[in-house]
Amino acid sequence: MIVDYHMHLRDPAGDIDYTVEAVERFVEVAAERGVDEIGFTEHVYYFTSTQAFWKPEYLAERCAYDLDTYVDAVLEAKRQDLPVKLGLEVDYVGGGERQDELAAILEPYPWDYLLGSVHWLGEAPVAVDMQPGIWASATVDEVWTMYFAALAQLAASGHVDVLAHPDLAKIFGRRPTKIEYPALDGVALEISTAGLHKPVGEIYPDIEMLASHPPITLASDAHEPANVGRDFDRALEHARAAGYDTVTVFEGRQGRQEPLG
């Protein structure tokens, strides 16, 4: 079984397209590349219903779409027996009550799984549009410490099922002298080929982050159909080098293990 569980529903030009026709284009590429099942995980900050959580102008301008329209497009594709799953990429918004409030907005929807991401620490980006963000005001050691603290909070919240690009802090190739990976019990980690196309030029996460053998998914982070399953030969090699022979398949926020294709 090969899954690609991180992608954003767009047309071939990369523009928002929450339609069944857009889903079909992703499914076609997946079939060509031997990917058995794909999952859509739009960014949570693209929707009017979540706009209150995003203060920076960058986000407020993007909270312009209807969550129901996105959900309905993927659900209709499922009704047509297309091999797709309904997900969402849920950002860390500070943990605690604030994270609970965001989860309450999402709770009524029939998600198959929810990705958890840390893109911001407070209002400073870790890696958004290649802005200097948090790196301009904190040392490399401080950024990694804050990033992993936020990631651990998100994992422990119970509000997400998979952590996306879990060592995203390496995106610019800046690493502390010693990396101390946090305990991330109860969630899967995605093996993502997106990092191959970032300044660091590496798969997320490093093999050392998989040493405790958490469940895994596979991910391209495709923002257009052409990138579905991109570099998955490298992802499979990475997974097997870390000792994996199964992949996690989700339905109704419940995961099961299937043989890794």
Side-chain angles (χ1 to χ4, degrees):
M1 184 82 171
I2 298 178
V3 302
D4 188 343
Y5 270 179
H6 189 160
M7 58 188 63
H8 302 271
L9 195 49
R10 306 284 192 268
D11 65 19
D15 296 322
I16 296 284
D17 188 2
Y18 298 152
T19 64
V20 175
E21 292 73 22
V23 172
E24 290 172 344
R25 288 191 286 267
F26 281 80
V27 169
E28 289 170 2
V29 176
E32 292 169 0
R33 294 186 174 163
V35 177
D36 300 294
E37 182 173 273
I38 61 176
F40 292 96
T41 52
E42 185 56 282
H43 290 291
V44 69
Y45 52 75
Y46 270 90
F47 303 108
T48 55
S49 57
T50 63
Q51 187 171 17
F53 291 88
W54 316 114
K55 292 180 181 179
E57 198 64 27
Y58 172 86
L59 295 175
E61 293 177 354
R62 284 160 173 75
C63 296
Y65 298 91
D66 181 64
L67 181 56
D68 289 343
T69 301
Y70 162 70
V71 169
D72 289 347
V74 180
L75 292 182
E76 179 56 31
K78 292 180 70 173
R79 284 190 286 268
Q80 295 180 18
D81 291 326
L82 296 179
V84 301
K85 292 293 172 68
L86 175 64
L88 198 71
E89 187 171 2
V90 180
D91 267 82
Y92 174 75
V93 292
E97 291 184 2
R98 189 165 173 80
Q99 205 73 49
D100 294 343
E101 291 167 2
L102 178 57
I105 293 173
L106 305 178
E107 194 278 331
Y109 295 91
W111 310 111
D112 287 306
Y113 62 96
L114 294 172
L115 290 184
S117 295
V118 177
H119 290 117
W120 291 269
L121 295 169
E123 294 184 11
V126 176
V128 177
D129 287 353
M130 300 298 110
Q131 299 177 43
I134 192 68
W135 302 95
S137 59
T139 67
V140 171
D141 282 9
E142 288 169 341
V143 171
W144 278 77
T145 297
M146 289 186 290
Y147 174 81
F148 276 147
L151 195 71
Q153 284 187 39
L154 191 55
S157 71
H159 297 321
V160 300
D161 309 298
V162 186
L163 295 178
H165 37 64
D167 58 352
L168 181 68
K170 73 180 183 184
I171 187 168
F172 300 116
R174 302 169 187 164
R175 287 179 166 89
T177 52
K178 181 180 180 181
I179 300 176
E180 296 186 5
Y181 296 109
L184 300 168
D185 299 330
V187 293
L189 302 187
E190 70 171 25
I191 291 179
S192 171
T193 59
L196 294 170
H197 305 276
K198 302 300 183 182
V200 71
E202 297 177 4
I203 283 178
Y204 301 119
D206 285 351
I207 283 181
E208 291 77 8
M209 196 172 184
L210 301 170
S212 64
H213 216 260
I216 60 164
T217 62
L218 306 176
S220 65
D221 203 348
H223 283 66
E224 57 184 84
N227 291 336
V228 175
R230 181 168 58 166
D231 299 313
F232 265 28
D233 56 335
R234 301 275 298 275
L236 292 169
E237 179 183 0
H238 196 76
R240 292 188 177 114
Y244 288 91
D245 57 16
T246 66
V247 68
T248 311
V249 175
F250 280 97
E251 186 169 1
R253 298 198 64 191
Q254 298 294 314
R256 70 178 190 275
Q257 296 305 303
E258 294 287 347
L260 187 63

